[in-house]
Amino acid sequence: MYRFKSKAAADVIYLPEAARQVLEALRREPAQQGIIEVADLPAAQQALLAAVEVDEAAFAALVAEAEAQGEPPPRRQGITLRQRVWPLLDMLRLSEAERADVIWQG
């Protein structure tokens, strides 16, 4: 398990595969521990939002392709990236407002 912590918010916990996906969206190495300093919080939020946009655009392209071929559109399986990053995005916003670093430990 990976635990993201900040003095500004409750902990956010991810299983290893989900944490890897989130850390890659943050453009961070999936290390066992790390920090997002206050100065980097706005960029981290933007990175998560950009990753969600890319994920949703890729899925929309699959739906459009299926519809163009007269096939039923695919359905999302499991948790979407938007759903997965929402708690961490909230933590990043609260941490930025309170000028608190975010750390993680795996």
Side-chain angles (χ1 to χ4, degrees):
M1 288 193 332
Y2 280 71
R3 183 179 304 266
F4 288 77
K5 297 180 178 189
S6 170
K7 293 178 182 178
D11 293 358
V12 176
I13 300 171
Y14 291 108
L15 293 174
E17 184 58 29
R20 183 195 58 75
Q21 184 183 27
V22 168
L23 288 169
E24 286 177 358
L26 284 167
R27 300 180 191 127
R28 301 287 179 133
E29 291 294 320
Q32 288 296 310
Q33 59 185 6
I35 186 169
I36 304 170
E37 295 178 339
V38 171
D40 297 328
L41 291 172
Q45 292 171 58
Q46 289 304 313
L48 288 179
L49 293 172
V52 167
E53 286 181 22
V54 168
D55 180 66
E56 290 181 351
F59 185 72
L62 291 175
V63 170
E65 182 180 329
E67 289 175 349
Q69 295 177 2
E71 298 174 359
R75 299 186 82 187
R76 287 263 189 179
Q77 300 296 318
I79 298 172
T80 66
L81 184 60
R82 177 181 293 278
Q83 292 167 320
R84 187 172 311 275
V85 303
W86 191 258
L88 183 59
L89 190 56
D90 192 42
M91 174 186 275
L92 295 175
R93 288 178 179 146
L94 291 169
S95 297
E96 181 182 14
E98 297 208 16
R99 313 255 333 126
D101 295 335
V102 173
I103 61 167
W104 74 84
Q105 297 176 342

